[in-house]
Amino acid sequence: MELSCKSEYAILALLEMAAHYESGEPLQIRQIAAQQNIPDRYLEQLLATLRRGGIVKSQRGSKGGYLLTREPRKIILFEILECLEGLEVRTCEDNVNLKTVDSSVIEEIWQEASRAANSVLQKYTLQDLCEKRDSRRQLDIMYYI
């Protein structure tokens, strides 16, 4: 399973919002884009998708921007990727009548792998990612001292 550029950018944006969650202040697209090095226009599309998925909300006005709809510890990675990518197991349905033993075996293994990946993604929250990031930053600081 490969992480798409779209999902990586979206998770980076959500990490930025999670870092500012406690302040309650919305972040503007240009702030997030500059901090995480994401193209503005692309980020705008990603945030619109995440808003439709109920993961972020937008606030209008001069001090408007985007906020997480829930605490970072309540936003599961699987939910984010499902919103962006659709994470359903896709199989070749064109040759349903021509299913062979070989193709059945491949399909079973693919579904097992997909369930395992989904299980891992359901274990981690946005808060978990923030904590991992913060601990790595601490290690980097300690390393350079």
Side-chain angles (χ1 to χ4, degrees), residues 12-118:
L12 287 171
L14 292 170
L15 280 172
E16 192 63 30
M17 285 189 263
H20 294 88
Y21 180 79
E22 292 299 321
S23 73
E25 296 291 320
L27 290 177
Q28 295 179 348
I29 289 175
R30 62 180 165 75
Q31 291 174 289
I32 299 168
Q35 192 67 29
Q36 294 294 339
N37 199 25
I38 304 170
D40 291 23
R41 294 277 185 204
Y42 194 50
L43 181 58
E44 193 174 331
Q45 294 170 10
L46 292 174
L47 291 174
T49 300
L50 292 168
R51 186 179 48 77
R52 286 190 298 273
I55 295 171
V56 300
K57 61 185 173 183
S58 59
Q59 184 174 311
R60 294 179 183 254
S62 61
K63 294 192 178 196
Y66 286 86
L67 299 146
L68 297 176
T69 56
R70 302 181 299 273
E71 296 174 51
R73 68 182 178 82
K74 293 183 178 179
I75 299 174
I76 299 167
L77 279 183
F78 181 83
E79 174 187 6
I80 298 165
L81 295 175
E82 186 176 43
C83 173
L84 295 163
E85 307 286 352
L87 283 191
E88 56 202 48
V89 178
R90 295 183 186 100
T91 59
C92 182
E93 297 174 4
D94 297 339
N95 299 325
V96 175
N97 296 334
L98 302 174
K99 198 157 282 278
T100 65
V101 173
D102 294 349
S103 64
S104 295
V105 168
I106 292 169
E107 184 178 332
E108 286 173 21
I109 299 301
W110 181 254
Q111 288 180 353
E112 182 182 344
S114 205
R115 283 191 299 271
N118 291 348

